[in-house]
């Protein structure tokens, strides 16, 4: 396996279900991200784990909760979602340095397409 | 507020040249990125500009003018496989990435 792998690629869930999205990176990067991609809208950053410290976008509803057990794995736990949460959820990783002076290019996974009924 | 503007959709002909523009208003500037995203696939990195001028990589070039808050991605000798969405993103003074909504490029034979 190389790059960033996301599972499942497609997920359909009801509003009362609990499910999780998984992301794994094989690049030795030290930062991982969750993004939400909706049609014709900019990518929305949801959560960042950088040097094992989590930062988050305060506008993310609590029905989304991230988990980062180590620098290679990232989860997004989903519960009691709403239909408007239907979107493509992209995971990304990068090699961040403390000075943030480099390009710090993101490597994305192919995404998990979520449909909430 | 911070904003990135790029056209929603463009159409071009195979073999031709197309320029995709991106204008930005951000709190500070620490680099501009272009990513390519084919339908159903991961966005992939194309280019990074932090200084004014043109960066060339094969058929693709990216230009930056910091004083004008403007960049463009130039694609030459278009191929059908270039049909994709092209995402512009700017890193602001807090090193946060601000994204445009993407430009869907359609290539016709």
């Amino acid at each position: 396996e190389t790059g960033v792998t996301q599972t499942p690629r497609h997920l359909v869930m009801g509003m009362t279900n609990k499910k999780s999205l998984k992301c794994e990176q094989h690049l030795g990067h030290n930062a991982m991200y969750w993004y939400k991609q909706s049609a014709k809208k900019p990518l929305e950053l949801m959560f960042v784990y950088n040097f094992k410290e989590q930062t988050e976008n305060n506008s993310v509803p609590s029905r989304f909760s991230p988990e980062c057990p180590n620098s290679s794995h990232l989860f997004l736990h989903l519960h009691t979602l709403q239909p408007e949460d239907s979107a493509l959820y992209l995971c990304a990783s990068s090699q961040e340095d403390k000075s943030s002076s480099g390009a710090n290019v993101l490597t994305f996974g192919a995404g998990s397409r979520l449909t909430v009924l | 507020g911070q904003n990135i503007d790029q056209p929603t959709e463009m159409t071009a002909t195979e073999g031709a040249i197309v320029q995709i523009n991106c204008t930005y208003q951000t709190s500070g500037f620490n680099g501009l990125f272009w990513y390519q995203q084919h339908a159903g696939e991961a966005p992939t990195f194309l280019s990074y500009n932090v200084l004014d001028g043109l960066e060339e990589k094969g058929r693709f070039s990216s230009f930056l003018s910091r004083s004008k808050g403007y960049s463009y991605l130039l694609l030459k000798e278009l191929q059908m496989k270039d049909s994709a969405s092209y995402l512009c993103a700017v890193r602001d003074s807090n090193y946060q990435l601000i994204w445009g909504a993407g430009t869907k490029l359609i290539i016709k034979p």
Side-chain angles (χ1 to χ4, degrees), chain A residues 33-36 43-45 88-90 106 108, chain B residues 97 99:
Chain A
Y33 311 77
W34 280 116
Y35 278 93
K36 177 182 179 182
L43 288 178
E44 297 175 44
L45 179 63
L88 182 68
Y89 289 84
L90 291 167
L106 293 173
F108 285 90
Chain B
L97 275 177
W99 293 85

Side-chain angles (χ1 to χ4, degrees), chain A:
Chain A
E1 290 277 6
T2 58
V4 179
T5 304
Q6 290 187 241
T7 54
R9 291 294 310 276
H10 299 274
L11 178 62
V12 179
M13 59 188 289
M15 288 191 284
T16 58
N17 292 158
K18 289 184 180 181
K19 297 285 184 183
S20 297
L21 306 181
K22 179 184 176 183
C23 176
E24 185 174 359
Q25 60 100 356
H26 308 273
L27 299 166
H29 288 165
N30 59 11
M32 295 187 76
Y33 311 77
W34 280 116
Y35 278 93
K36 177 182 179 182
Q37 187 175 37
S38 302
K40 299 184 179 180
K41 290 186 177 179
L43 288 178
E44 297 175 44
L45 179 63
M46 300 177 73
F47 301 105
V48 183
Y49 279 85
N50 192 337
F51 299 102
K52 297 188 178 181
E53 294 178 1
Q54 180 200 334
T55 57
E56 62 185 88
N57 185 332
N58 289 329
S59 67
V60 178
S62 59
R63 55 187 184 268
F64 295 91
S65 58
E67 179 189 357
C68 189
N70 54 60
S71 60
S72 299
H73 294 85
L74 186 64
F75 296 89
L76 187 62
H77 302 300
L78 317 169
H79 62 100
T80 60
L81 294 191
Q82 303 298 310
E84 60 265 28
D85 297 323
S86 298
L88 182 68
Y89 289 84
L90 291 167
C91 174
S93 69
S94 68
Q95 183 61 28
E96 298 289 316
D97 59 62
K98 288 287 189 181
S99 66
S100 296
S101 59
N104 296 337
V105 172
L106 293 173
T107 301
F108 285 90
S112 294
R113 172 70 61 185
L114 173 65
T115 302
V116 181
L117 302 176

